[in-house]
């Protein structure tokens, strides 16, 4: 009887240590992607509003092309972590190698589609005549870096599953620094304009992929895992990723609809939307750092058959998510005079930004819960439910967002519909975690 209180006090502290050890380095790695776009936005924004509007559209398309394959990281993290919990490191790394080979195949396919279809894809967003040429230029050049981006996703998943988030942090720091320097040199020094920004990002991504490959190959050799492509393993990795692909496509559809609606509101609104979206993505990845820790920890607990440990760490991460959301909301309001001038000198764009920033700040605690629970269910390998829940969310969001221009709403109204979207996601994810049906144990789900 005297030991029970001690356990209840000790368990949260133990989970906190686990979460911090994985989430802090994961945060640094996760913010690399939105920081890449933010650097591009800050540099291109000073070239002019049409260039920034073109970047907004191209970045949305490029991020979609890469992010629909985020299962290369998330599914791999969960699968590798389960095998780590079960004590089979060789099988864990072998599955990771299959994911890397799949990434290369998918990357080549995306390039083959994107290069010829770039003008048509940009046209879908209703870009103005002044913004469209810049969007096409940026999209075509940046698409050449997609295979490297996908390799980064797959290799990151392997390391996270092995409970290593420090290596991705170091690679992300190096990649971000290289991207910033290359953008300045190529855009202004070489006078390449928006094309220089795209080439800088491509070169930085390729360097990151090369470093990841070196790390993973060394690990595979150390544990005796094969480096050769295995058709059955690649096929299994692709099949396991299908539900998460559906989930991610639905989420990307939400973001693409939002950008398309903003584009129809005019260049000023879409330029402001690009800045808001960059900041929102940065905060989302910050919150997702806790979810990444959850994927690795929960996968390990379930692989070891510890359902109570999985429940406890889920509860603790939700508390972390709410606290982080409140903090981020306060920070974005307090720091707005500092970061808005970094993105644009256009006073009209600045005036459009201010009320929308308040909406984003108010909805951050909800986002904190959503990203954490999303990560918990990914760590449990509960992809089919995540796919269905996101389809429901898309069905609610799409008609409301598309009616914003008809109702005479502006960018602020559009971002209130984004808040609605996050609320629906929170409800569906909370219902699933409360049911306990995600608690499936074993080395494989």
């Amino acid at each position: 009887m005297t030991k029970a209180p001690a356990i209840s006090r000790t368990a949260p502290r133990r989970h906190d240590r686990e979460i911090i050890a994985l989430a802090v380095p994961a945060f640094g790695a996760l913010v690399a992607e939105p920081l890449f776009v933010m650097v591009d936005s800050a540099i291109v924004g000073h070239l002019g509003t049409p260039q920034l509007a073109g970047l907004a559209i191209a970045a949305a398309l490029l991020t979609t092309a890469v992010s629909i394959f985020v299962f290369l990281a998330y599914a791999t993290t969960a699968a590798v972590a389960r095998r780590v919990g079960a004590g089979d490191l060789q099988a864990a790394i072998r599955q990771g190698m299959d994911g890397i080979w799949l990434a290369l195949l998918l990357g080549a396919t995306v390039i083959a589609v994107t290069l010829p279809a770039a003008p048509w894809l940009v046209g879908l967003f209703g870009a103005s005549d002044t913004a469209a040429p810049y969007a096409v230029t940026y999209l075509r050049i940046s698409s050449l870096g997609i295979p490297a981006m996908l390799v980064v996703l797959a290799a990151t998943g392997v390391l996270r599953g092995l409970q290593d988030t420090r290596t991705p942090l170091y690679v992300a720091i190096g990649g971000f620094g290289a991207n910033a320097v290359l953008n300045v040199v190529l855009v202004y020094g070489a006078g390449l304009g928006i094309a220089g920004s795209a080439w800088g990002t491509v070169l930085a991504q390729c360097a990151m992929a090369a470093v990841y490959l070196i790390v993973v190959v060394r690990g595979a050799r150390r544990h005796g895992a094969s480096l050769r492509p295995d058709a059955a393993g690649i096929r299994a990795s692709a099949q396991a990723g299908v539900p998460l692909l559906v989930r991610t496509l639905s989420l990307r559809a939400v973001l693409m609809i939002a950008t398309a609606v903003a584009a129809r509101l005019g260049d000023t609104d879409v330029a402001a939307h690009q800045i808001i979206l960059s900041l929102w993505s940065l905060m989302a990845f910050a919150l997702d750092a806790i979810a990444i820790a959850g994927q690795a920890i929960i996968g390990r607990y379930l692989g070891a058959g510890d359902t109570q440990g999985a429940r406890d760490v889920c509860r603790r991460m939700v508390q972390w998510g709410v606290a982080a959301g409140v903090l981020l909301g306060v920070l974005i309001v307090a720091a707005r005079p500092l970061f808005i001038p970094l993105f644009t000198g256009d006073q009209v764009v600045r005036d459009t930004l201010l009320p929308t920033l308040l909406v984003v700040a108010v909805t951050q605690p909800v986002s904190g819960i959503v990203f954490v629970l999303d990560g918990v269910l990914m760590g449990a390998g509960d992809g089919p439910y995540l796919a269905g829940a996101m389809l429901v969310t898309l069905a609610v969001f799409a008609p409301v967002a598309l009616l914003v221009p008809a109702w005479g709403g502006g960018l602020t109204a559009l971002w209130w519909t984004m808040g609605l979207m996050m609320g629906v996601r929170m409800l569906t994810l909370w219902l699933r975690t409360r049911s306990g049906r995600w608690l499936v144990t074993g080395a494989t789900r």
Side-chain angles (χ1 to χ4, degrees):
M1 296 295 293
T2 58
K3 292 183 178 180
I7 292 173
S8 64
R9 288 194 301 268
T10 302
R13 291 198 296 269
R14 174 166 54 83
H15 293 317
D16 287 346
R17 288 194 296 269
E18 287 183 309
I19 293 168
I20 291 171
L22 292 172
V24 172
F27 169 75
L30 284 168
V31 298
E33 181 178 338
L35 282 176
F36 271 46
V37 179
M38 288 179 70
V39 167
D40 291 358
S41 298
I43 293 174
V44 171
H46 289 284
L47 294 175
T49 297
Q51 287 91 333
L52 184 58
L55 173 63
I57 295 167
L61 287 164
L62 182 66
T63 303
T64 298
V66 175
S67 295
I68 59 174
F69 301 117
V70 75
F71 69 83
L72 291 166
Y74 291 161
T76 302
T77 298
V80 170
R82 277 183 177 267
R83 285 164 172 77
V84 168
D88 193 349
L89 289 176
Q90 185 182 66
I93 297 177
R94 173 63 260 182
Q95 182 163 4
M97 289 303 305
D98 291 335
I100 290 174
W101 283 109
L102 177 62
L104 290 170
L105 292 173
L106 292 173
T109 302
V110 173
I111 288 179
V113 172
T114 304
L115 285 178
W120 177 76
L121 291 170
V122 169
L124 288 178
F125 279 80
S128 68
D129 291 339
T130 55
Y134 296 112
V136 172
T137 297
Y138 190 92
L139 179 61
R140 278 181 165 159
I141 295 172
S142 294
S143 68
L144 300 177
I146 288 177
M149 297 178 193
L150 299 189
V151 167
V152 167
L153 286 176
T156 299
V158 176
L159 296 179
R160 288 175 184 164
L162 294 171
Q163 317 295 294
D164 175 13
T165 56
R166 290 185 179 274
T167 299
L169 169 62
Y170 301 145
V171 176
I173 291 173
F176 170 70
N179 181 61
V181 172
L182 287 168
N183 265 262
V184 172
V185 170
L186 296 176
V187 172
Y188 297 119
L192 296 179
I194 196 170
S197 177
W199 278 117
T201 300
V202 169
L203 293 173
Q205 290 285 357
C206 287
M208 292 173 66
V211 173
Y212 271 117
L213 287 175
I214 291 172
V215 173
V216 174
V217 167
R218 285 178 177 173
R221 288 175 175 170
R222 184 165 57 252
H223 293 287
S226 175
L227 298 174
R228 296 180 179 179
D230 177 69
I234 294 172
R235 193 161 49 248
S237 294
Q239 290 172 348
V242 169
L244 289 182
L245 176 61
V246 173
R247 170 258 181 201
T248 305
L249 282 172
S250 301
L251 178 57
R252 295 311 308 178
V254 165
L255 299 180
M256 290 178 70
I257 289 171
T259 300
V261 171
R264 283 166 172 76
L265 295 174
D267 282 0
T268 296
D269 284 309
V270 75
H273 174 76
Q274 171 60 19
I275 296 171
I276 292 289
L277 191 60
S278 296
L279 292 167
W280 187 81
S281 297
L282 174 60
M283 291 184 292
F285 276 94
L287 294 170
D288 209 25
I290 305 171
I292 293 299
Q295 289 177 33
I297 296 170
I298 284 177
R300 193 185 76 234
Y301 273 105
L302 294 179
D306 187 355
T307 57
Q308 187 57 49
R311 283 184 182 275
D312 291 344
V313 79
C314 172
R315 186 179 302 109
R316 193 61 173 172
M317 283 188 297
V318 169
Q319 295 170 356
W320 277 68
V322 173
V326 171
L327 177 61
L328 288 171
V330 172
L331 285 176
I332 195 172
V333 173
R336 67 188 187 280
L338 300 177
F339 61 75
I340 290 179
L342 295 176
F343 292 99
T344 180
D346 190 326
Q347 187 59 48
V348 178
V349 175
R350 292 185 183 185
D351 292 340
T352 304
L353 281 172
L354 292 176
T356 310
L357 280 175
L358 295 177
V359 175
V360 173
V362 168
T363 56
Q364 281 309 293
V366 174
S367 297
I369 297 173
V370 168
F371 281 98
V372 166
L373 293 182
D374 201 45
V376 166
L377 297 183
M378 283 185 187
D382 203 13
Y385 182 84
L386 289 172
M390 198 61 227
L391 286 172
V392 170
T393 302
L394 175 61
V396 173
F397 168 80
V400 178
L402 292 173
L403 285 172
V404 166
W407 290 341
L411 190 63
T412 302
L414 175 60
W415 274 89
W416 274 120
T417 67
M418 292 289 284
L420 169 66
M421 179 270 295
M422 296 303 288
V424 174
R425 290 187 71 191
M426 182 178 69
L427 176 62
T428 57
L429 296 175
W430 175 77
L431 289 173
R432 183 62 169 184
T433 52
R434 186 183 181 188
S435 73
R437 295 176 183 174
W438 54 281
L439 292 165
V440 179
T441 59
T444 59
R445 182 179 172 91

